[in-house]
Amino acid sequence: MSATAEPLDLARLRAEAVERGPQFWRSLEELADTAAFREYLHNEFPRLAARFDIAPDRRGVLKLMAASLAMAGLTACKKADHIAPYVDKPADVTPGRALHYATALSIGGYGFGAIVESHEGRPTKVEGNPDHPASLGASDAIMQAACLGLYDPERSRTPTKDEQAMSWDAFLGEVAALRDEIGNREGAGFALMIGPITSPSEAWLIDRLRAAYPRMLLCVHDPLAADGERTALQQVFGRATATLPRLGQADVIVSLDADFLGEGPGRLAHARAFSSRRIVRDGATTMARLYAIESTPTITGASADHRWAVRGSAVPAIAAALAARLGLGADVNAPVPSAALDAIAADLRKAAGTGLVVAGPHQSADVHLQVHAMNASLGSFGLAVDYIPPPDYRPPGAVSLGALVEQMRRGAVTALLVLDANPAYTAPGDVSFAEALVKVPRTMHVGRYVDATAKASRWHVPLAHDLERWGDIRAFDGTASIIQPLVQPLYGGHAASEVLSALLGEYSASPLDTLRTYWREIGGLDDAAWRAAIQRGVISGTTSAPVVSNAAPVLSSKVNPAGTGIEVRVVPDPWLRAGEYANNAWLQELPRPLSKIVWGNAALVAPATAGRLQLASGDVVRVARDNNAIELPVSIEPGHPEEVITIALGFGQSAIGQVGNGVGANAFPLRAGEALWFLDGLSVSKAEARAAVVTTQHHHSMEGRDIVRNGTLAEYVANPTFAKDREPAPSGTLYPPWPSREEAWAMVIDQTACIGCMACVSACQAENNIPTVGVDEVANGHEMHWLRVDRYYTGSVDNPGVVFQPVPCMHCEEAPCEEVCPVNATVHTHDGLNAQIYNRCVGTRYCSQNCPYKVRRFNFLDYQPFAEGTGSPLAALMNPDVSVRSRGVMEKCTYCVQRIERGRIEAELADQPIADGAVTPACAQACPTQAIIFGNRNDPGSRVRRLHEHPLDYALLAELNTRPRTTYLARVSNPNPALAKLEEPVHG
Amino acid sequence: MAEARAATLVRGDPGYPEITGRIASIVLAGRLPRIFWLGFLGFFALMLLFLFAIAYLVAAGVGKLGLNVPVVWGTMITNVVWWIGIGHAGTLISAVLLLFRQPWRNSINRFAEAMTLLAVAMAGLFPILHLGRPWFFYWLLPLPNTHMHWPQWRSPLVWDFAAIATYIVVSLLFWYMGLIPDLAVLRDRARSRGAQVFYGLLALGWRGSAFHWKRHQTVYFLLAAIATPLVVSVHSVVSLDFAVAIVPGYHSTIFPPYFVAGALYSGFAMVLTIAIPLRAAFGLRDFITQRHIDNGVKVMLAAGMLVAYGYLSETFFSWYSGTPYDRYELFARFLGPYAPCFWIMLACNVGALQLLWFRRVRNNMALLFGIALVINVGMWLERFVIVVSGPANDFLPSAWNTATLTWLDFALLFGSLGTFFALMFLFVRILPAISIFEVAEEAHQEGAA
Amino acid sequence: MTARSKLYGVIGAYREPEPLVSAARTLRDAGYAELDAFTPFPVPALDAILQTRATPLPLLVLAGGIFGAVASYALILYSVMVDYPIDVGGRPLNAWPAYLVLAFEGGVLGAALAGFVGMLALNRLPTYYHPIFNAPSFTFARDDRFYLLVKSSDAKFAEARNALRRTGAILVEEVAP
């Protein structure tokens, strides 16, 4: 929209914005109600504008903004040029008919292929792109939350200089001045800081920039990066190389502190590959075996057949000890029982080429050398593991954050441009970026939020969201994709490439042109290939070819001794990452897979350690390095390594937005020097205060009830129906059965495949307009997620087994909830769904009372007020096929009835029965391991029917005779018999 | 013997004019003791709090109460059961004792009936306030509406609705039937024109014809005969709200009788809580005599022991059922998050009760009053424990949670108490608290005997 | 004759129920038919003497009860079988154990209403004007007198005054219509 150069009083505007609470504003100019705004209104909403002229009172202005906000999507949906629909043709918008576009989302700089659903130009839902190697049709919580991030009313909305609103042109003027300043001295004194990127075109632009300004400083600041693997493989291969484990090929996997299911750009693909070797289907008598040695509880460890929790600094010794047993180097004593290591080594050797050892990226180079050597000696190259050139952009000569700050402090930097990074927040404790920044006369920040760095910089420019910009990006295996916009920037954001082009003097280069140029000239894509690329969402032929090399393994002889005393293990929060997603309420309120903590981080400690330090959950501890101290509540986690405290990053920001500010504590300052992931020498003391750790699950034992049934592969082979056999004989029913002539929709959840990643929960939230309720309401037990993933611990508290159980509505055939509803607000549909009719519900809550699975959720308060005149951009986020529930009504999982009906309509148009797989609920579609199978039980050929007849299939609480339509496949694990006598098997 | 009864029931055998005079005077007297006004104002203040709390609840939503998933029912339901229980004692006194020709009921049945009406009115309020969308409560009625749907007749809540509605209507009719002759008395004794017209209209022109008396008495007894099974059915139906549900701790066949006994227990406790101050304040010791109190206490004792037996059998069957869910619920009740409520409840309902075995205690009005209060508290806690402890620990441990009460829970409870007593005061002021014609008949029969 | 025909009847007042009862018995034995008695509380002894017919009220109450129960159940059956049959928790449409509870409550309500309305109807209540109140001293309750009325329609009405005096009425008054 048209911007004005006249500066506005930002302080006043912020005050107003705050006092206005939920009513958000589209841009500072609008808030200021300037001539520009009136003009803009005239152009866009003549009628409204007329009214605006008559009644220019504050309320009128607000109403107007509400309207413009609600239509923000529409205005933007003068469709962005040249984008191509994925499946639907023609691309013209048919009201009521969703279009789907292929694009990619950047998470940590890496690409995750996505198919985005767009209603009348409003992006509402993200799904994985089946053709994209990093998502394979699956998605995770961060992808699901992308649309909320797009509409986030608190995203930065206008360029500013010294907190005064400026226009983009004014910024270009500043860039021009910068170019004049550094032009005649080869860029000396200019520093460019970027976040982690894999974008070929942006890399190309930066390379051109470095060519133009040889002496400029480039700093790639990735607060979550770890260099161990890179260093080690550099040493082995003589050039930058990345490991690419092929979990689908591996029979025996040993994880040395590697959370390959939950972390890393390949997590979704790895989860799919891993589960493909784990799930037990008819006749199968083999499955892969996973040994996990980890320094903090992860979902990878939870899926392992054997798991040892050790302090992170002890892993090198374990790696060396294991290597020794594979005939590499000398044995050392390790915190894992020697007999266990023997058994693991034997297992690996037996598996030969299909044995795989993976190490966590944050482990030291020594560990990665050991691992490479072990895989080499197992002959797993090309089978269970490959090596590829790393997809991310790490040009030689790039300086570290520490080095850059040093230069800044010495005054050697006269201009700094920070592009999509937030060093003022993510810098380690010993790198005082903020005070060094003061010494830089010309500072510019380009980012999505007015964050700590933006506030510290003189200039700030809003960065466009992935769903509103052109760009390209590589996946973990090197495959490149085009990022295509679904809407024009809602809040006037600009793409990174625009900024880089401007630095190159190409002030008017549009991101699309830049992209097209790069791919035509360097990428060699003609128009047909380009069109194919944006249709499929991947650029064919860009996948990195494995490095063929017979590089001799380098065996590191030195083994760092494990630390002593309390060790602090720093981990990225699974959803907030380094804090860039902290203003996303969906992610804040999504329970963490194991701790189930929401809205904050905590100091996770082992029960034994808590006992020794006399800490109880809720006690506040003070963790300090030098003068950097944080206070946060303790949460006692079974299976946590002893004498270790785990703290998640990404919390405790002061300048990200009303949602994320002040949530949790910021652990970045605890980092120093080389110690980025395993911190020792910190002082840990118990503070007087107490603070609640808000979680969504309060009881962690199954109390001996047969809820998650599990057994070993051996048990299954011996007796495939072991799960059913444990079931009490079903008591008969007095009622004549209701005929089910049409579909009988049913769901089967494979608990062997489920890794507890929570993707299904966030997908459900995105699909079904489920509100977030905030930390206080969650503490009251009012959370609204229709689907929850229960996590139970089995066995000892020190090293328990962990089982996950997703619990959606069971859609019982003899539903206890329906019988007790006094107003027929929950009844059965013709196709066997347990339907909830919101506008009949008076809210007696008897149904929830009588639901043995407690899957019903109640609108205790008005969680989604969309009253007239109070429209926020978030209204545009709502899925138009799902009604938004009012206060005082009950709601619950519907099996995504809107998708069922869409499938039915299409089937009826084609005059066919609904084909198996034609209807997929959001949870099943998102699941990385395809653990959720949905279909029509009356169709003899359907997968769900076959799985329902599978020997492992059982119904939850079958003895209640509720006849659930959602059933479970018992969890099968594959422990090593040789270890059985050594320690109690983890599961069972 | 006859003298003895006369001596204890209507002391000093006053003549009918004296009887009617003394009872009617409470209503017709111009001035009342200061204690009356002080009490009334106190309760009226609570009544205002009640109105405020209701307004806030409806405006903000039930999320402001101590509720969550799984504990979706809390103090609102507790109050329903508690108030209905109180109502039942009134009906028992007036109807059942009438059937059994217990003459001693005559002097206390009138205000017992009033107590029933007001208590049931309170009870009727809470299920509505408890709704997520209270303004749609009438959807539980079979009314033609645009939703094209009917009530879901299988739901115990619909039975509940029907039972409580019927109970209110029948109690009202029964109460009014008995009131008609006394209204005629007031009509004829009233001095002021306004009072004459007011009572005259209500009295329907009653003139005491022998023919009228016969029909009146016939129906009066029939209504009593109807009200008796109704009382039992109402609290049985209320108990079915729980017994029909599959929640551990709810799903128990002993609930109907156990709830009825509990109703009598708490009801008689409330009768004493009201009767003891009433007779002291208005000098009605001649009508509400030691013997009334004593009989009431004995009924309370019997009901209390039945309730205690209920606790025992409930505990035993939770264990004997053998299902892990019921057994854990039992364990949680004893040692779980709500255990304090449970043990206080036992102390009040079973512990304090035992004092009533002693005549000296039964003769000590102050002490009796205290015990009655304690038992009222205990019975409220009993219902609360039943309502919340089941859902808090049901089938899937992952869903277990407890809800903490808020100020609103207490505002509504004590507000309803205030409203109840404020209205009670108004009743005593406007209508004869003691059945005039029945006491007169009583006294005459004793005189004749 | 004309003067008398204006009257509604004559009443005699007594201080106690017993004299009233004996007086009523005397007059009836003397052949008086159109009698009525007014007492502050029910005096069952009078029923036999005044030959009050057995009232149909019990039957009325029974009928009301049956009607209430049947009507309730019928409404339920219509709604679940005819008007809106739907699968609720897999339960049969006619879940009689549940519906019986409602039928019972309906019956109770029907019976109670029938009884109350029937009583008022048969007693012709409310009647805000009645000649008996024209008697100068008549009051239902002020000083608890017991009255015996001989209506002017009675064949032996002429002697009624003296007859009442002879039964020891403390006062005898004419009742204007």
Side-chain angles (χ1 to χ4, degrees), chain A residues 744-747 916-917 919 933-938 942-945:
Chain A
W745 298 113
M747 181 180 279
D916 188 36
V919 176
I933 296 90
F934 180 81
N936 171 9
R937 197 186 275 178
N938 280 353
S942 67
R943 295 164 305 156
V944 85
R945 169 71 165 269

Side-chain angles (χ1 to χ4, degrees), chain B residues 114-441:
Chain B
M115 186 184 83
T116 300
L117 277 176
L118 296 178
V120 177
M122 290 301 127
L125 213 49
F126 280 104
I128 295 174
L129 296 178
H130 157 269
L131 294 180
R133 300 199 290 175
W135 46 91
F136 290 138
F137 75 93
Y138 61 88
W139 287 359
L140 269 72
L141 289 169
L143 299 169
N145 62 39
T146 55
H147 303 86
M148 295 278 304
H149 83 293
W150 294 83
Q152 205 284 94
W153 310 102
R154 299 169 190 79
S155 167
L157 286 182
V158 173
W159 312 344
D160 221 7
F161 201 89
I164 294 179
T166 309
Y167 187 40
I168 290 181
V169 172
V170 173
S171 310
L172 196 61
L173 294 180
F174 188 67
W175 178 71
Y176 186 57
M177 285 280 289
L179 206 48
I180 290 174
D182 291 2
L183 288 166
V185 172
L186 295 175
R187 173 196 64 201
D188 292 0
R189 286 178 160 264
R191 302 267 186 286
S192 75
R193 183 70 188 147
Q196 285 170 345
V197 172
F198 174 71
Y199 293 115
L201 287 174
L202 289 176
L204 305 176
W206 182 263
R207 52 191 187 276
S209 151
F211 296 87
H212 288 187
W213 275 121
K214 186 175 190 335
R215 302 198 183 96
H216 178 274
Q217 291 294 297
T218 314
V219 174
Y220 198 49
F221 272 81
L222 284 172
L223 279 187
I226 292 167
T228 308
L230 179 62
V231 170
V232 177
S233 84
V234 168
H235 224 60
S236 303
V237 167
V238 170
S239 78
L240 291 181
D241 289 345
F242 302 95
V244 164
I246 60 177
V247 182
Y250 281 20
H251 195 56
S252 156
T253 47
I254 194 181
F255 268 26
Y258 164 41
F259 267 51
V260 173
L264 296 184
Y265 189 30
S266 62
F268 267 84
M270 183 55 80
V271 171
L272 289 186
T273 320
I274 298 170
I276 292 174
L278 189 71
R279 68 197 285 266
F282 298 115
L284 295 176
R285 288 195 179 71
D286 296 355
F287 302 103
I288 306 174
T289 63
Q290 188 56 47
R291 180 152 175 269
H292 291 114
I293 304 290
D294 201 54
N295 288 352
V297 172
K298 281 172 184 161
V299 176
M300 208 162 87
L301 192 53
M305 294 313 288
L306 276 175
V307 170
Y309 169 76
Y311 297 155
L312 271 180
S313 93
E314 207 187 1
T315 311
F316 170 75
F317 282 106
S318 300
W319 167 78
Y320 188 68
S321 68
T323 68
Y325 316 116
D326 289 307
R327 285 188 174 181
Y328 190 94
E329 199 279 330
L330 184 68
F331 162 77
R333 194 174 284 204
F334 291 160
L335 302 171
Y338 294 107
C341 299
F342 176 79
W343 294 112
I344 297 173
M345 179 268 279
L346 271 192
C348 297
N349 294 355
V350 183
L353 175 67
Q354 305 313 323
L355 291 172
L356 300 180
W357 291 107
F358 307 103
R359 180 174 296 281
R360 287 228 319 298
V361 176
R362 295 205 299 270
N363 291 347
N364 178 336
M365 288 305 131
L367 190 52
L368 269 186
F369 185 68
I371 293 176
L373 283 179
V374 165
I375 289 172
N376 281 319
V377 174
M379 287 309 290
W380 190 89
L381 283 174
E382 175 202 300
R383 276 60 174 266
F384 181 69
V385 168
I386 290 175
V387 169
V388 297
S389 75
N393 307 280
D394 69 349
F395 298 94
L396 297 183
S398 60
W400 292 355
N401 199 356
T402 59
T404 41
L405 300 187
T406 68
W407 67 271
L408 194 53
D409 290 286
F410 296 102
L412 287 164
L413 171 60
F414 292 109
S416 67
L417 271 166
T419 314
F420 172 81
F421 282 110
L423 295 178
M424 225 29 204
F425 272 62
L426 289 182
F427 158 75
V428 173
R429 179 78 176 97
I430 296 171
L431 296 171
I434 294 178
S435 171
I436 297 172
F437 82 90
E438 281 169 309
V439 171
E441 179 182 17

Side-chain angles (χ1 to χ4, degrees), chain A residues 5-220:
Chain A
E6 80 193 52
L8 308 163
D9 173 0
L10 262 204
R12 178 174 62 83
L13 298 179
R14 286 200 195 295
E16 286 176 6
V18 170
E19 115 212 351
R20 217 166 278 155
Q23 280 160 332
F24 296 104
W25 22 283
R26 185 175 178 193
S27 86
L28 296 169
E29 286 91 334
E30 286 181 20
L31 191 66
D33 159 25
T34 58
F37 179 39
R38 291 163 186 275
E39 177 192 0
Y40 155 73
L41 283 167
H42 262 297
N43 304 341
E44 291 219 66
F45 316 107
R47 233 171 69 256
L48 288 176
R51 203 168 129 254
F52 178 56
D53 290 332
I54 305 160
D57 60 304
R58 178 56 60 191
R59 287 192 66 77
V61 177
L62 290 178
K63 283 227 178 67
L64 219 42
M65 286 172 198
S68 64
L69 292 170
M71 300 191 201
L74 290 179
T75 65
C77 292
K78 300 177 233 136
K79 219 163 64 304
D81 329 327
H82 318 307
I83 66 176
Y86 177 64
V87 280
D88 303 271
K89 289 192 181 67
D92 314 315
V93 173
T94 320
R97 185 122 180 270
L99 296 179
H100 298 79
Y101 297 97
T103 179
L105 298 173
S106 160
I107 301 173
Y110 281 84
F112 288 75
I115 304 294
V116 182
E117 178 178 334
S118 168
H119 289 271
E120 291 82 52
R122 297 183 290 109
T124 57
K125 181 76 167 66
V126 173
E127 306 292 356
N129 180 350
D131 297 340
H132 192 279
S135 79
L136 301 171
S139 51
D140 69 359
I142 297 174
M143 293 170 72
Q144 291 297 338
C147 286
L148 180 57
L150 169 69
Y151 292 109
D152 183 351
E154 293 190 280
R155 262 169 59 204
S156 165
R157 290 161 185 261
T158 181
T160 58
K161 179 188 183 187
D162 302 331
E163 302 240 314
Q164 303 296 309
M166 304 299 280
S167 68
W168 168 249
D169 303 334
F171 174 72
L172 292 183
E174 174 72 6
V175 173
L178 169 66
R179 284 170 51 79
D180 297 344
E181 175 191 321
I182 61 173
N184 50 13
R185 37 174 210 209
E186 298 185 316
F190 172 55
L192 172 65
M193 181 192 292
I194 59 171
I197 64 167
T198 60
S199 162
S201 64
E202 286 168 25
W204 171 63
L205 289 170
I206 295 172
D207 287 338
R208 284 172 55 200
L209 202 56
R210 301 182 77 202
Y213 303 112
R215 295 176 58 201
M216 83 174 219
L217 291 172
L218 174 69
C219 170
V220 181

Side-chain angles (χ1 to χ4, degrees), chain A residues 325-345:
Chain A
R325 283 164 176 72
L326 292 171
L328 306 161
D331 192 4
V332 299
N333 58 2
V336 174
S338 173
L341 290 169
D342 294 339
I344 298 172

Side-chain angles (χ1 to χ4, degrees), chain C residues 1-13 27 32 34-36 38 129-138 147-162 164-165 171-177:
Chain C
M1 197 60 183
T2 52
R4 275 197 209 122
S5 64
K6 284 206 205 74
L7 293 181
Y8 173 72
V10 293
I11 54 168
L27 265 64
Y32 289 87
E34 299 290 314
L35 299 175
D36 193 354
F38 300 89
Y129 173 81
H130 192 275
I132 190 69
F133 290 98
N134 297 336
S137 80
F138 182 85
Y147 299 93
L148 182 61
L149 165 73
V150 182
K151 298 207 186 95
S152 52
S153 50
D154 192 291
K156 307 177 67 185
F157 180 68
E159 300 82 38
R161 249 184 238 81
N162 306 329
L164 284 168
R165 284 213 187 76
L171 63 86
V172 175
E173 291 175 330
E174 293 189 338
V175 184

Side-chain angles (χ1 to χ4, degrees), chain A residues 697-699 701-703 705 707 780-782 788 790 792 816 818-824 838-846 848-854 856-858 860-861 886-889 956-957 959-960, chain B residues 57-64 67-70 72-73 130-133 135-136 139-140 147 149-152 154-158 240-241 244-247 250 324-325 328 391 394-401:
Chain A
Q697 187 176 341
H698 308 84
H699 199 89
S701 151
M702 283 189 275
E703 295 297 336
R705 305 176 183 187
I707 294 168
N780 288 341
H782 294 176
R788 65 175 197 268
D790 291 347
Y792 295 107
E818 295 180 2
E819 182 206 359
V820 295
C821 174
V823 290
N824 271 322
Y838 305 126
N839 51 5
R840 275 185 192 174
C841 179
V842 298
T844 66
R845 309 191 285 291
Y846 203 166
S848 170
Q849 190 75 295
N850 216 32
C851 173
Y853 311 95
K854 289 288 174 283
R856 289 173 158 266
R857 293 290 174 262
F858 187 68
F860 283 97
L861 300 173
S886 75
R887 182 192 116 202
V889 305
L956 191 54
L957 300 175
E959 62 268 41
L960 298 179
Chain B
L57 179 70
V58 173
V62 287
K64 297 293 179 186
L67 298 171
N68 60 22
V69 176
V72 290
W73 286 4
H130 157 269
L131 294 180
R133 300 199 290 175
W135 46 91
F136 290 138
W139 287 359
L140 269 72
H147 303 86
H149 83 293
W150 294 83
Q152 205 284 94
R154 299 169 190 79
S155 167
L157 286 182
V158 173
L240 291 181
D241 289 345
V244 164
I246 60 177
V247 182
Y250 281 20
Y325 316 116
Y328 190 94
D394 69 349
F395 298 94
L396 297 183
S398 60
W400 292 355
N401 199 356

